[in-house]
Amino acid sequence: MIEYKGLSALDDGWVIAETAFDARFLGKFETIFCQGNGYLGLRAATEESYPSEKRNLFVAGSFNRFANQEVTELPNAADMVQLEIRLNGKRFHLEKGIIHSYRRELDLRQGEIRRDILWEDEQGDLFKMSFLRFVSLHDRHLMGMRVEITPLSNTAEISICSGINGQKTNSGAQHFVEGERRVFDKELLQLTATTTESKIEFVHTCARRIYERGVRLITAPAPSMDRRSVSLTYKLKAEVGKCITLDKVASVHTSLDKEWSEQGTVNHALQDTAREYLNKAAEKGFDRLLNENEQAWKSVWAKTNIEIKSSDSFDQLAIRFAQYHLLLMTPAHDSRFSVGAKGLTGEGYKGHVFWDTEIFILPYFLYMNPQTARKLVEYRYHTLNGARTKARDNGYRGAMYPWESAATGEEETPEWGPVDIVTGKPTFIWTGKIEQHITADVAYGVWHYYQATGDQEYMDRYGYEIIFETATFWASRLEWSDKEQKYHICDVIGPDEYKEHVSNNAFTNYMAYWNMTKAIECSRKLMQAQSDVYLTLESKLALTERLKEWEDKSKQIYLPQPDMHSFIIPQDDTYLNKQIIDLKKYRDQEQVASILADYSMTQLSEIQVSKQADILVLFYLLEDWFSKETKAANWHYYEPKTLHDSSLSLSTHSMLASDVNELELAYDMFAKAARIDLGTNMHSCDEGIHSASIGGIWKTAIMGFGGVRSWEGSLRLNSKLPQAWERLSFPLAWQGERLQVTVTRSKLEVERLTSGFGELTLLIHGREYVLRDRIVTDMKEAERSE
Ligand code: IFM
């Protein structure tokens, strides 16, 4: 049913195929075959409609609140890819008739989907049907589709109804007020709609052309309008063997687009512009538009290609699949928006932005495309005021970032979740209130960006302010314990969300401490070396006063230490005293979170069971603060108690296993992480792609096996290949330079692709090297000295 084609020398890991149609698995392919460009995300629903489908089209950042008591979400824009095809009067769909052959492929090289079907209708008539679709990477407003129908046994009456359907909702929530519907010249359709609360105007426009055996047919289609929809129906007679082709190009523009949101839209300006735009696109023709898209992808791959020579060629495909989706999910065009936990591929998590961005997705862009990384860290500056409001509303100072963020930086976590298995009531979602480590994670992202890029201008304008405001939040958040004579952080949720209302979660305490000490270091540095920036921030934030508070308090934060004998760090104050149960059933589960069918969240809080990596994330972020023994001991203590019920878990475990030289374990976990969305579990991603896990695939390969880390401004390479891999080669951006790193079993080679100023110092397997053009080191020697 799912085939990872391209696993031969010829096509080399680029194509994923759906080899048979099964309506039960529509969600799987809608998600993994999703198309987009960071502005638009088009879920890959088939052209013909099915009851279990989820047709989604999202525009990055276009949040709307359906009702006051609901959180804001990305609204589902009008559908322009659905077609109603009638063959001899009967609606074409694959739950009737006989499917003689079926194949749908996503080609990652160009982000195109092709579907070929040989289908016999209930009367015994045979048809060849082909579909091709793209969302342009060349032009972010544009998408295109081609449909080819050839009757193979008898002359056939073909009718194709296609248009713009604005009747779509987000699982019932209608986010739009109906606008105008128009048909221009019996060819071009336009439908406008405005979001109910955020008042964003969406303009959907499309045009189509129809051909018989390549010759354009000038036929008069029948227009029709309905509530929130407009369409055209073509009726044609096709002879045996004669192919009817419909080309459709469509666009979405919104008043949120930078050019409009800055100047505002007046009268029909947006509609007129969109119409002109689409007319031009239609004039160019489908083939040229397709070609432009292909060229755009080609240049992306030329810059970002990663090669993995593995005994399992799935690995190569998996990394490309991850890169493909990382591009789709990231609004590189506009720093007012960031990456949703499901990207733009589904309604899951409502388009909201989590710590996933800083910890799991940002690293990819830092080391592959720093310009895009800058957009992501700017987003947190755009939302800084929202975070200040959240801090104030909760009785704190500084900036308290929301666990779930959308347009403004105010908290958007919904309050009620799935059923509590014991009480039968909905479960209260505490993360928005007490999963507070996000605030330090944001600051960490800012610092990581600065280390990897050296972008001083960003820091001066935005970065320092974020670090100071987040440190101030922590200073106001700490609670003094008379008994311990230390500052504690009580009543939080750490990364392990199966432990609610815990105190002194190690991850949270260490990250808060890191955040405050980083603020101290930055303000001292500014005082000495950049007095202008210091003075600006001093007058805005009263830095001198704050510095004293950070210094006094950070010294006294309680940081849970590794046990002297076992090296175990308590995850929180009570974790190690909780009951241990046999978790085999849940670790062998088919679908994640099966434990919630047996235990409520309250009950889970009393068991040594973790949803996902917690302390281990700390070992990766603050790697020099912990010894190898501590990392290994905690990996082995906590992993058997971890269900990996969050998709963020496996990649962290894999990276850490690499760090402690458990390479085969690391590979096993990489292989599992790479299959979370792309694997054969046909329901794992119905709600959308797991963005953080996708970033995690790149991280396990490049930061895990490639061993790439940055620590306080220096680039480290600690590469180790698992048995299955013979070669790993990847590009790397570092402080304005571009490098190419190639690791084989015998050597590690770093080539400098740019001729920047001066020498570059790298730490390779613990030894300092100066890079001029190229460094080659011996992997065997590195292994021996481990
Ligand atoms: O941010 C994650 C969290 O760590 C686990 N639950 C899902 C969230 C969104 O991916």
Side-chain angles (χ1 to χ4, degrees), residues 26-47:
L26 287 173
K28 172 84 179 182
F29 292 100
E30 286 168 3
T31 294
I32 64 172
F33 284 5
C34 183
Q35 295 169 302
N37 51 29
Y39 172 85
L40 286 180
L42 176 63
R43 201 168 151 91
T46 54
E47 287 72 11

Side-chain angles (χ1 to χ4, degrees), residues 200-250:
I200 301 168
E201 186 182 356
F202 278 56
V203 179
H204 312 84
T205 315
C206 69
R208 83 238 37 242
R209 290 186 176 176
I210 200 138
Y211 303 85
E212 188 187 50
R213 290 226 252 180
V215 178
R216 187 163 172 204
L217 296 178
I218 308 296
T219 56
S224 99
M225 278 183 193
D226 207 341
R227 270 184 95 177
R228 293 181 155 87
S229 89
V230 53
S231 60
L232 295 175
T233 303
Y234 291 90
K235 287 198 166 126
L236 304 143
K237 198 173 214 120
E239 286 165 27
V240 179
K242 285 197 178 157
C243 173
I244 297 291
T245 304
L246 175 106
D247 287 348
K248 180 172 179 180
V249 288

Side-chain angles (χ1 to χ4, degrees), residues 340-342 349 352-357 360 403-404 431 435 437 494-497 611-613 645-649 689-693:
K342 302 283 183 193
Y349 290 124
H352 295 170
V353 183
F354 293 68
W355 73 316
D356 307 28
T357 300
F360 293 85
W403 177 244
E404 296 190 27
T431 51
E435 191 154 358
H437 61 82
D496 172 11
E497 294 173 344
K611 179 176 179 182
Q612 64 198 91
D645 279 350
S646 155
S647 68
L648 282 59
S649 192
I689 208 91
H690 295 86
S691 303
S693 162

Side-chain angles (χ1 to χ4, degrees), residues 216-376:
R216 187 163 172 204
L217 296 178
I218 308 296
T219 56
S224 99
M225 278 183 193
D226 207 341
R227 270 184 95 177
R228 293 181 155 87
S229 89
V230 53
S231 60
L232 295 175
T233 303
Y234 291 90
K235 287 198 166 126
L236 304 143
K237 198 173 214 120
E239 286 165 27
V240 179
K242 285 197 178 157
C243 173
I244 297 291
T245 304
L246 175 106
D247 287 348
K248 180 172 179 180
V249 288
S251 65
V252 183
H253 293 79
T254 83
S255 57
L256 186 66
D257 298 344
K258 227 178 196 155
E259 53 278 32
W260 296 103
S261 60
E262 275 162 14
Q263 74 184 41
T265 83
V266 199
N267 293 324
H268 285 81
L270 187 53
Q271 283 109 297
D272 294 346
T273 306
R275 209 170 65 241
E276 253 171 59
Y277 163 94
L278 202 80
N279 265 326
K280 277 197 196 134
E283 273 311 307
K284 266 191 188 175
F286 184 88
D287 290 311
R288 236 177 97 191
L289 300 172
L290 186 71
N291 185 263
E292 286 174 350
N293 170 58
E294 289 173 358
Q295 293 311 316
W297 274 103
K298 208 169 168 185
S299 60
V300 166
W301 287 118
K303 285 190 216 118
T304 58
N305 194 30
I306 295 172
E307 280 173 32
I308 300 176
K309 199 159 180 210
S310 168
S311 57
D312 186 348
S313 36
F314 180 87
D315 300 348
Q316 174 70 80
L317 182 69
I319 195 93
R320 294 207 175 111
F321 175 76
Q323 291 182 274
Y324 169 81
H325 273 282
L326 280 158
L327 186 149
L328 258 56
M329 69 178 73
T330 308
H333 60 285
D334 198 323
S335 63
R336 289 172 299 165
F337 321 131
S338 186
V339 184
K342 302 283 183 193
L344 298 169
T345 64
E347 290 177 19
Y349 290 124
K350 300 180 161 52
H352 295 170
V353 183
F354 293 68
W355 73 316
D356 307 28
T357 300
E358 276 71 21
I359 309 300
F360 293 85
I361 295 157
L362 180 68
Y364 175 76
F365 292 103
L366 284 182
Y367 297 109
M368 295 294 273
N369 185 343
Q371 287 90 339
T372 300
R374 167 140 180 174
K375 296 280 174 26
L376 297 179

Side-chain angles (χ1 to χ4, degrees), residues 65 68-73 349-350 352-355 390 401-406 409-417 427-436 438 493 497 500:
R65 195 179 308 279
N68 278 343
Q69 64 278 27
E70 294 200 10
V71 296
T72 184
E73 69 182 320
Y349 290 124
K350 300 180 161 52
H352 295 170
V353 183
F354 293 68
W355 73 316
K390 181 174 175 189
Y401 276 92
W403 177 244
E404 296 190 27
S405 182
E410 285 170 46
E411 187 59 64
E412 293 293 352
T413 305
E415 294 202 326
W416 297 101
T427 310
F428 188 80
I429 302 177
W430 283 102
T431 51
K433 305 217 176 305
I434 58 173
E435 191 154 358
Q436 295 166 358
I438 174 72
I493 300 177
E497 294 173 344
E500 295 180 333

Side-chain angles (χ1 to χ4, degrees), residues 1 3 6 10 24 36 217 234 266 329 387-388 412 414 432 492 503 535 537 705 749 764:
M1 154 106 269
E3 181 187 299
L10 266 187
R24 289 172 304 164
L217 296 178
Y234 291 90
V266 199
M329 69 178 73
R388 286 180 171 128
E412 293 293 352
V492 293
S503 293
L535 288 176
L537 289 166
F705 301 124
E749 187 174 335
I764 303 181

